Amino acid sequence: MSRDDDDRHDAAHEALRRVRREGRWWWLQARHARRIWRWALLVAVLLFVCLALLRRPLANWFWNEPQIEQLLDQGDRALAAGRLTLPDGSGARESYQAALALDNDRLQARTGLARTGQAALQQARDALDRGDTPAATAALALARELQVPQRDADAVSQQLHAHDQARAGIGALLGRAEAALQAQRLDGSPDSALPLFQQVLALSPNQVRALEGREDALSDLLQQARTAAGRGDVARAAALVRSARGFDAGHVDLPATQEVLNNALERRQREGDTALRRQKLDVAAQAFAAVLAALPDDPAARRGQLQVADAQLTRATRLAGNFRFDEAAQAVQAAQTLGASTRALEGARHTIEQARRSQAALKTPAVPRAQRERTLLRLLTRLEEAEARGNFLDPPGRSAYDALREAQSVAPQDPRVRAAAQRLLPASRQCFEDRLRENRVLAAGACLEAWQTLGPGSLGLAQARQRLAQRWLAIGSERLGRGDAAFARMALQQAAQLGSETGAGDYQSLNHRLQDLESAR
């Protein structure tokens, strides 16, 4: 074989191998393509099956979730605004229930319904407080529908039942109150108009008929007070004003009525002062008693009453000197009723008894002159010794005043006895001034008692009482600053007894400080 033939054979053989190689590659490519299509088909089948099985959850997830959130938000807003249930479906209950219908497992919706139930219970309680029974009943029914705890619902139900029972009695109470108002039985007994209206308002504070009825009854009551004040019956007028203020301290007619009462009290006080100056003691006593019946702590009326008591004791002494003992005893009794001091009463009674003995002495044999002189000298010596010690009224039985009374019973007309009596009065005044200057207020009070007993109508006695009252207050204020509350309390009592005006600045200042200290304790 030639060389050319060999080259052709090799070329043919190479071509055959190339053809075989290219044919295998194509077959391999076709086989690989078929494998890919089989897997794609399998994935498509699996995807189809999943979509068929999960089409509903996926649809809910894609379409319902925004709607649920919107309903929950709408329910929260309605609950915050108090719109618990509404016919148009925009209430909190309807919104939460709609959210639960879309997703039965949504915890937020169930919690919202529970909160709505609690809000319904609170609305029922608030409606009961307002007296709105229908609203309370509806709110309680909603709360039960939303399955609030049975215990809470039953408690509100019991309150509603009690309110219904009370309301059933309100009508009867109103009828009785209005009948009492028509009959002008305004106050003074439980079946009067004002107490009955008050019972109704205690059950139903906003009951319009009761409020209007009470207003009318108070207007009539205050009109009665003004009428009583106009005719001088200040005690009744003051009682009516106090009663009206107890029912309604802000009544529109109260200021005008109080002014009428104050004017009437001032007139009665002036009447008492005028009668006292004219020595019409019974008229003065009645006037001051009327003022004190209206204002028990009125200092001016109390001071006037004590002055009437002193005047009665002076009158008793004068009557006893004329041997008119029955009238003198009546005057002493009147002074006691008016609050005269024990010392002053004892002095007047001693004077009456001395006058009785003097009258008896005129009808009996005279005591031997020498014996009477010895007794008189002994009593005068005892008087001088007590006077030197400053024992004008105390101690009982050994005071200068006791010795003077005994000496007067032995020889009332003896110049030495009369001189001792005249000397003792200024001495008691000087004793008062000395003890007051020394701030010995208790001793000054004893001297003042002696002064008042020896000369009930003496000039300067009222001013002396006022000065002693002011000194008590000053020392009481100082002692209170050191924490001595007991002395401050005693100072207030002494000042009031001496006729100090309890409304005055010094008295009120000490009183307020004492109250503050006691409250702090």
Side-chain angles (χ1 to χ4, degrees), residues 359-402:
Q359 185 185 45
L362 296 175
K363 301 176 182 180
T364 58
V367 178
R369 182 181 182 87
Q371 180 182 348
R372 184 177 60 186
E373 182 65 21
R374 286 194 299 272
T375 303
L376 182 59
L377 287 174
R378 177 175 55 80
L379 292 172
L380 290 173
T381 301
R382 201 180 84 191
L383 186 151
E384 292 172 357
E385 291 174 352
E387 186 180 356
R389 293 193 302 270
N391 296 337
F392 294 97
L393 287 180
D394 293 310
R398 293 190 298 160
S399 67
Y401 182 67
D402 291 329

Side-chain angles (χ1 to χ4, degrees), residues 116 142-143 148 407 491 508:
T116 304
L142 174 61
V148 297
Q508 288 297 324

Side-chain angles (χ1 to χ4, degrees), residues 27 61 106 162 215 219 226 302 337 363 373 383 491 504 510:
W27 180 84
W61 189 82
R106 184 59 64 101
E215 184 77 11
S219 296
R226 292 191 292 273
R302 179 58 183 159
T337 303
K363 301 176 182 180
E373 182 65 21
L383 186 151
L510 179 58

